[in-house]
Amino acid sequence: MPTPTKGPRLGGGPAHERLMLANLATSLFEHDQITTTEARAKRLRPLAERLITFAKRGDLHSRRRVLTVVRDKGVVHRLFTEIAPDMDLRPGGYTRIVKIGARKGDNAPMAVIELVREPMSAKKATVKEAEAATRRAVKQDESKKAAAATKDAEDAQVEDAAVEEAPVTEAQVDEAAAETEGAPQDLSAADETATTEDK
Amino acid sequence: MAVPKRKTSRSNTRSRRANWKTTAATLTACPQCGANMVPHIACPSCGTYKGRHYATAERSEHQG
């Protein structure tokens, strides 16, 4: 969950801010890239990423949730059919903010916020997820050093599996998980890897 | 309403204003075109940032 915003609302009040962010989100999904002030871009980012998460889910309920913010059906259709498939393997971080210096009139710091639509390869995503799982596991294991050996063995298996096909990987990870039932935190990490590959 | 009792002297005014200073901006060379640029902001002369091009970042002399 994103951190709650500190400080005053953008615009004249809470309703004004909601409208402004909704309009910014609509423009972002329509054009892929918009230029706005840094403050607005930073406020828009969590909202836009949440909407993309809904779009990735793709069912009717999530579409209705998105429609409460983005009122334009055409834009929502584009979000669900064109943008969401590109974000399929990307585990968050769907937008990119680049600062572009100050505006002339009022010296306001400006930024470009854009959707990260470069395709993410399946292998890279899997490796990243595996690395993240390893980091999490290491963090949890700092107190328990006994489970370290089993974790290393399992990590090796996960990385080997990442090279091969997704269904095979899932089966292997399940096996690995079954083997390492002694360490419940490793089990959860392996399960997460498996669920990512389901997509 | 509370009001100042005395006029602020020229001396006080000037010594206060003497501390309004500007600081030099940190500058680095753009890896793309070599021009000076502020770090973490797209280059104003060629508009690139981390290998990507942003046309809106380009500034001429007059645009400031």
Side-chain angles (χ1 to χ4, degrees):
Chain A
M1 184 190 162
T3 324
T5 50
K6 296 260 167 52
R9 305 287 90 80
L10 301 172
H16 190 182
E17 180 179 80
R18 276 198 300 276
L19 285 164
M20 200 186 287
L21 290 177
N23 288 336
L24 284 168
T26 309
S27 303
L28 178 66
F29 296 136
E30 191 180 348
H31 300 288
D32 278 1
Q33 186 186 65
I34 56 173
T35 308
T36 180
T37 61
E38 256 182 60
R40 285 178 188 172
K42 283 180 181 173
R43 290 287 181 89
L44 174 61
R45 174 177 249 178
L47 175 69
E49 303 214 349
R50 196 161 63 237
L51 295 179
I52 292 170
T53 310
F54 279 128
K56 279 170 78 174
R57 216 172 289 160
D59 55 359
L60 185 61
H61 178 57
S62 54
R63 187 178 289 258
R64 285 177 178 154
R65 294 284 301 275
V66 173
L67 274 165
T68 60
V69 179
V70 180
R71 297 289 178 173
D72 191 329
K73 277 188 181 165
V75 172
V76 173
H77 181 261
R78 183 169 187 275
L79 171 65
F80 274 67
T81 57
E82 289 177 34
I83 298 170
D86 288 358
M87 305 294 186
D88 206 15
L89 292 166
R90 196 170 287 281
Y94 310 122
T95 56
R96 179 190 291 137
I97 295 177
V98 175
K99 295 170 191 168
I100 56 166
R103 178 160 65 189
K104 185 175 167 62
D106 57 358
N107 210 28
M110 301 297 282
V112 171
I113 179 166
E114 60 182 338
L115 299 174
V116 183
R117 295 195 61 181
E118 290 95 69
M120 201 175 191
S121 69
K123 193 182 162 188
K124 199 176 163 192
T126 320
V127 169
K128 257 194 166 172
E129 179 62 28
E131 279 169 2
T134 314
R135 267 201 302 279
R136 274 199 300 276
V138 167
K139 231 180 204 174
Q140 286 171 338
D141 282 356
E142 272 175 355
S143 52
K144 285 187 195 173
K145 282 180 183 172
T150 47
K151 177 182 67 60
D152 284 344
E154 190 222 37
D155 285 345
Q157 277 193 339
V158 168
E159 271 164 32
D160 287 344
V163 186
E164 295 169 25
E165 293 288 338
V168 184
T169 316
E170 195 186 352
Q172 282 193 348
V173 170
D174 281 343
E175 280 171 23
E179 281 167 19
T180 57
E181 267 183 87
Q185 59 274 78
D186 291 342
L187 184 67
S188 65
D191 278 344
E192 277 172 30
T193 319
T195 47
T196 341
E197 283 153 7
D198 279 341
K199 298 171 197 169
Chain B
M1 200 180 79
V3 289
K5 189 170 188 177
R6 301 203 67 88
K7 172 181 176 162
T8 309
S9 69
R10 259 190 310 235
S11 164
N12 273 341
T13 303
R14 286 170 184 173
S15 75
R16 183 179 66 247
R17 289 184 187 163
N19 290 304
W20 296 355
K21 291 166 191 160
T22 59
T23 50
T26 315
L27 292 178
T28 55
C30 172
Q32 193 74 24
C33 65
N36 281 337
M37 59 176 275
V38 184
H40 310 294
I41 292 178
C43 175
S45 69
C46 66
T48 53
Y49 187 73
K50 296 218 166 147
R52 288 180 295 270
H53 181 255
Y54 296 92
T56 43
E58 287 174 26
R59 300 277 195 277
S60 69
E61 283 284 308
H62 305 291
Q63 282 172 317

